[in-house]
Every structure is written in structure tokens, then in C-alpha cells.
Amino acid sequence: MSNKLQALLYLSNPKPYLERLAADGLNERVDFKVIAAGEQATDDDLAKAEILFAPGVPPGTLSKMPRLKVIQSLTAGVDHWLARKDLKPEHTLIAARGTHRIQVPENILGALFHITKRYHQIALNQAESHWQRSVSDTLAGKTLGILGLGAIGQQLAMKASALEMRVIGTKRTPEPVTGVDKVYGFNETDKVLAESDYVVVLLPVTPLTENFLNTTQIAKMKPSAWLINFARGAIIVDDDLIAAVKAKTIAGAVLDVFRTEPLPPEHPFWKTPGISVLPHIGGYHPQRDSWVAELLADNIRRHLDGQPLREVVDRERGY
């Protein structure tokens, strides 16, 4: 067995990761074993690995890894890791936080323009050579409520304020945030729901937030307000949202995340007027793998040198 540190990487696109690891000189200190998408690591590979980098692994895999110390997720959300029965206290869990801070806010702005500018209907009209002018709503002067002012939420706030929107939101520790008019604690979410013209969900899934947006909470929103979810599907109660949109309790919703993905063809979200379904496009962008690779390389170097790791998950908070 090699004296080098052993790292197991589950990757469908290994090129940007291996290039970054090599460029940082880590090949001299670490043996990297790449497992392609759909394949399984051998018991021998599992037994050797001290670092695991993966979107997820089959149930029971972690119990076959006695040397495992660090798990880095490919995603910012780690609820699927925290739910595992084979995750041990000695496993340091890393989230890919910050790697979506550009693309997700841009896609949320796209959702806001989708709602207000009616480009979808214009495209349908063009397909039929039909000229029909319409008056679109403005974002300037409207209130954007952000549930979860983390890295993504803070970037969104700056961009929205540049569009002359009033921005409010919630943060676990209320403190001033650039571009945000008022920051509330999570226990003051009701105020954000009541004041906002557009409510953007950017919360992690925790026992506190799962099924949080139900009939009672949605009813606190304005009848003219829209709900936009780019976080996790489990935060919203599907049936309650559908009922609220049908009853005009709120104006509608744009959803990029769902409890089951791909969203099953029979799910009523597809056919509910007022609900727009996006195929989980929020965080994907051409540089994403490069940014996650930078975080992976930095954390491997820190682990080797005995330095604090970046973006460590607080298991009590759930993110």
C-alpha cells in the first residue's frame, strides 16, 4: 500500500478536478482513485480512503471506510449526507458553499423577469406570427424577500438593489447585509412574507425548515405575491402550494427544486396554471466544476498540513 494519503473521487466529469489537483502539486502527496458515474468502488478502495469526494454513495458505503476522515460534497446542500445512518461523528463533512453564488442569483433574476416581462408569451406569439403588445410590470420599487441571506442570498440582494428593488430577508444571526433594507431573524419570517412582492426561498433543509412553507405560512403572503424556490423542494408542502395558487391566495410560483427529481410527469405542478417548473438549472454553469475543484484542492492541502478546513458543515444547524 502507498504511503500517500488515499482519496476516493466519484466523478462523472473528472477532467477539471484532476487538472486542478495536478496543477496544485497534490499528485505528489495523494493517490487519487476516480470512480466513474454508475460504477462502484471496490472494498479495497473503500478501506484505504481517508478522503471521499462524491455527490453521494450507496447506503452502507461509509461503514466500509474505517480510515475515512473527510467527506466533501459536490453540492452546497448536504441534507442527503446528514440523513445517512452510516455517517459518523468523526467524519468531517464539507459543503460546496459559495460555488453557486453567481449563477443562482442570475437565474433568480431570470425568474423575476419571467414573471414580470412575459417573454414566454411573446415567444409563443412569435411562433404563430402574432403581434400582440402588452404592458409588463416593473421590478423597481417592488419588495424582494429573501428567506436565507447566505452567500447566494447576499449576492442576490446586491443585484436586486441595483435594480432599485427594496430587499428584506431573514438570517440566522440578524446583522446588516449590503443591499438589504431590513434583516430579520428566522423567527420573524412572517414579516418578510407579509411585506414581499416576491419571496425567494434559499434556506437549507433542516428539521426546522422541512415543510415550513405550508398553508398557514403561504397565507401570510400578499395575494399578488409570487413564491420562488431555488433551495430544496422539501421546504414547501406541494399540495398546500398548489391549493394556494388555485385559490389565488398568492399569484403564483416559480420552482427550480422538487422533492423528487426529475419531477414525475404525473405531478400536478406541471399542469397547475400559475406554477412554472424549471428543471433544476439554478446552480449549473460552465465554471462550476472548476470552482468546486478549487475548494477540493484547497481542503486536501489543508488536511495534509493540519490546517482548518473550509466550508465545514455544522451538523446541529444542518448546513
Side-chain angles (χ1 to χ4, degrees), residues 21-312:
L21 295 167
D24 285 10
L26 291 170
N27 285 345
E28 300 172 6
R29 307 175 69 186
V30 184
D31 279 335
F32 296 104
K33 174 70 175 182
V34 176
I35 307 298
E39 295 184 0
Q40 301 290 334
T42 66
D43 287 347
D44 186 53
D45 289 332
L46 295 173
K48 294 176 182 177
E50 189 170 323
I51 291 180
L52 173 64
F53 178 65
V57 289
T61 299
L62 303 186
S63 62
K64 298 178 182 179
M65 306 180 72
R67 298 170 58 86
L68 183 62
K69 291 184 173 64
V70 178
I71 302 169
Q72 181 168 319
S73 176
L74 272 75
T75 59
V78 292
D79 44 292
H80 59 296
W81 285 106
L82 293 173
R84 296 183 65 97
K85 294 181 179 180
D86 53 356
L87 184 69
K88 299 177 181 178
E90 59 265 30
H91 296 152
T92 298
L93 182 61
I94 307 293
R97 283 192 292 258
T99 57
H100 306 302
R101 65 183 181 83
I102 301 298
Q103 185 74 338
V104 174
E106 288 186 2
N107 274 312
I108 292 171
L109 292 177
L112 291 169
F113 286 123
H114 173 77
I115 293 167
T116 56
K117 304 307 179 189
R118 305 178 184 176
Y119 290 134
H120 174 65
Q121 184 58 53
I122 291 170
L124 293 175
N125 289 341
Q126 180 180 348
E128 303 202 357
S129 303
H130 178 57
W131 177 283
Q132 181 178 347
R133 298 185 69 187
S134 61
V135 179
S136 63
D137 206 350
T138 62
L139 293 176
K142 298 296 174 59
T143 297
L144 178 68
I146 303 174
L147 305 185
L149 284 165
I152 293 172
Q154 291 178 34
Q155 286 287 326
L156 174 62
M158 288 190 291
K159 291 174 169 61
S161 63
L163 294 173
E164 301 181 50
M165 298 188 77
R166 173 177 177 257
V167 182
I168 60 177
T170 63
K171 200 172 187 294
R172 192 185 67 86
T173 304
E175 56 192 6
V177 173
T178 301
V180 181
D181 184 73
K182 176 68 176 178
V183 179
Y184 296 94
F186 179 77
N187 61 348
E188 298 178 291
T189 299
D190 291 6
K191 295 178 181 178
V192 178
L193 295 175
E195 294 181 37
S196 300
D197 297 298
Y198 307 96
V199 175
V200 176
V201 185
L202 292 173
L203 297 166
V205 173
T206 69
L208 193 63
T209 63
E210 187 171 2
N211 297 319
F212 175 66
L213 290 173
N214 54 23
T215 297
T216 301
Q217 294 293 86
I218 295 171
K220 295 169 183 175
M221 295 172 60
K222 299 177 181 179
S224 58
W226 285 75
L227 184 62
I228 300 170
N229 189 9
F230 275 73
R232 285 290 186 266
I235 294 171
I236 298 174
V237 179
D238 292 7
D239 290 344
D240 291 0
L241 175 60
I242 292 167
V245 173
K246 287 183 175 180
K248 304 298 182 183
T249 302
I250 61 173
V254 178
L255 309 175
D256 188 51
V257 288
F258 308 92
R259 292 173 182 269
T260 301
E261 296 184 8
L263 186 67
E266 66 276 9
H267 197 289
F269 278 158
W270 288 110
K271 302 295 184 182
T272 302
I275 293 181
S276 294
V277 172
L278 306 180
H280 202 152
I281 59 172
Y284 291 111
H285 58 88
Q287 290 78 42
R288 178 179 177 271
D289 285 328
S290 297
W291 291 0
V292 179
E294 184 277 329
L295 177 63
L296 174 64
D298 190 30
N299 270 331
I300 289 177
R301 188 187 310 105
R302 288 168 175 264
H303 177 71
L304 288 164
D305 296 341
Q307 298 178 352
L309 303 181
R310 289 170 53 195
E311 310 303 345
V312 174

